[in-house]
Amino acid sequence: QKEVEQNSGPLSVPEGAIASLNCTYSDRVSQSFFWYRQYSGKSPELIMSIYSNGDKEDGRFTAQLNKASQYVSLLIRDSQPSDSATYLCAVRKTSGSRLTFGEGTQLTVNP
Amino acid sequence: GAVVSQHPSRVICKSGTSVKIECRSLDFQATTMFWYRQFPKQSLMLMATSNEGSKATYEQGVEKDKFLINHASLTLSTLTVTSAHPEDSSFYICSARDTGDTEAFFGQGTRLTVV
């Protein structure tokens, strides 16, 4: 079992729709969770971090964490073509430890 | 967010030569730096973790004598790919973090092509 698993994708949504990206992790002791966006040929860019159960909203982005289900998701409201990228879920077990990345989900927002 | 500068962004070198990649934290002290490699259509693969003033910790399967990492100061880490071969062609990305639970920020990445 992979430590961090994401939807295999690719995911395609029309402009203005809600894009939903999912991620599960295997280690229950994981404490910190991150979503990164990576455009083709570029390095990852941090979008959201979440540390406690529930929702965290930042503009059009909402991260949701459910530690009991070992599940973290990212919702993108009012999707724009500029949101088209690969989204990487990353998990950190304890303070100071390394990030473990999922394989990423490629999102395409169609005009 | 914090700024991490990686240089060069793109390099082409001949097989058998060495290439040095620099990673600098511009507005914070990078206690820990991470070096990743990413092949096309794949996720980031951690190569090594370095703490300032200490030897780097390499992930399993990564040759420490081939990928030399130096983290001599709190703002600079370097990765040297020695005796590069075409199979080393990849996208190399550094990431820097201040203290334990802070977020890590990525450099712009270096596209290495070995011909």
Side-chain angles (χ1 to χ4, degrees):
Chain A
Q1 183 185 7
K2 293 181 181 177
E3 290 186 61
V4 180
E5 293 201 59
Q6 295 184 241
N7 303 43
S8 57
L11 175 66
S12 182
V13 300
E15 184 174 355
I18 296 175
S20 177
L21 303 162
N22 302 315
C23 173
T24 57
Y25 58 95
S26 61
D27 195 330
R28 284 194 172 276
V29 304
S30 300
Q31 297 182 353
S32 309
F33 308 87
F34 306 88
W35 282 100
Y36 288 86
R37 176 176 62 198
Q38 186 176 26
Y39 292 113
S40 181
K42 303 293 184 182
S43 67
E45 170 192 11
L46 180 66
I47 298 176
M48 295 280 285
S49 58
I50 187 166
Y51 304 95
S52 54
N53 280 328
D55 295 359
K56 179 180 178 181
E57 187 175 315
D58 184 0
R60 296 186 295 112
F61 299 97
T62 299
Q64 299 174 316
L65 174 61
N66 184 326
K67 289 188 177 181
S69 301
Q70 295 174 235
Y71 173 91
V72 58
S73 67
L74 178 70
L75 298 177
I76 306 175
R77 289 181 301 281
D78 187 24
S79 296
Q80 302 297 309
S82 58
D83 294 327
S84 298
T86 296
Y87 288 80
L88 299 166
C89 172
V91 175
R92 187 164 63 208
K93 292 181 182 179
T94 59
S95 174
S97 66
R98 66 175 192 177
L99 288 174
T100 300
F101 286 87
E103 295 287 320
T105 299
Q106 185 176 344
L107 170 68
T108 300
V109 180
N110 300 304
Chain B
V3 179
V4 177
S5 176
Q6 186 174 342
H7 178 80
S9 59
R10 190 178 292 268
V11 59
I12 300 173
C13 71
K14 290 185 178 180
S15 188
T17 62
S18 296
V19 172
K20 180 183 282 190
I21 302 169
E22 292 188 350
C23 182
R24 294 180 184 272
S25 57
L26 300 184
D27 54 1
F28 68 101
Q29 293 184 326
T31 307
T32 305
M33 285 203 178
F34 304 91
W35 287 95
Y36 295 87
R37 180 166 53 181
Q38 187 178 36
F39 292 106
K41 305 292 185 184
Q42 295 185 23
S43 191
L44 281 74
M45 185 191 79
L46 181 66
M47 299 175 66
T49 302
S50 72
N51 291 300
E52 184 266 339
S54 303
K55 287 185 178 180
T57 301
Y58 290 81
E59 294 299 304
Q60 191 173 6
V62 179
E63 300 175 58
K64 62 179 181 180
D65 295 328
K66 180 171 181 63
F67 299 99
L68 302 178
I69 292 172
N70 183 286
H71 190 174
S73 80
L74 283 171
T75 59
L76 174 65
S77 177
T78 61
L79 167 67
T80 302
V81 182
T82 63
S83 187
H85 291 282
E87 57 264 32
D88 297 324
S89 298
S90 188
F91 191 46
Y92 291 85
I93 312 171
C94 71
S95 175
R97 184 179 71 202
D98 189 349
T99 54
D101 202 32
T102 56
E103 296 158 1
F105 296 90
F106 285 90
Q108 301 94 323
T110 298
R111 176 75 58 192
L112 170 64
T113 303
V114 184
V115 298

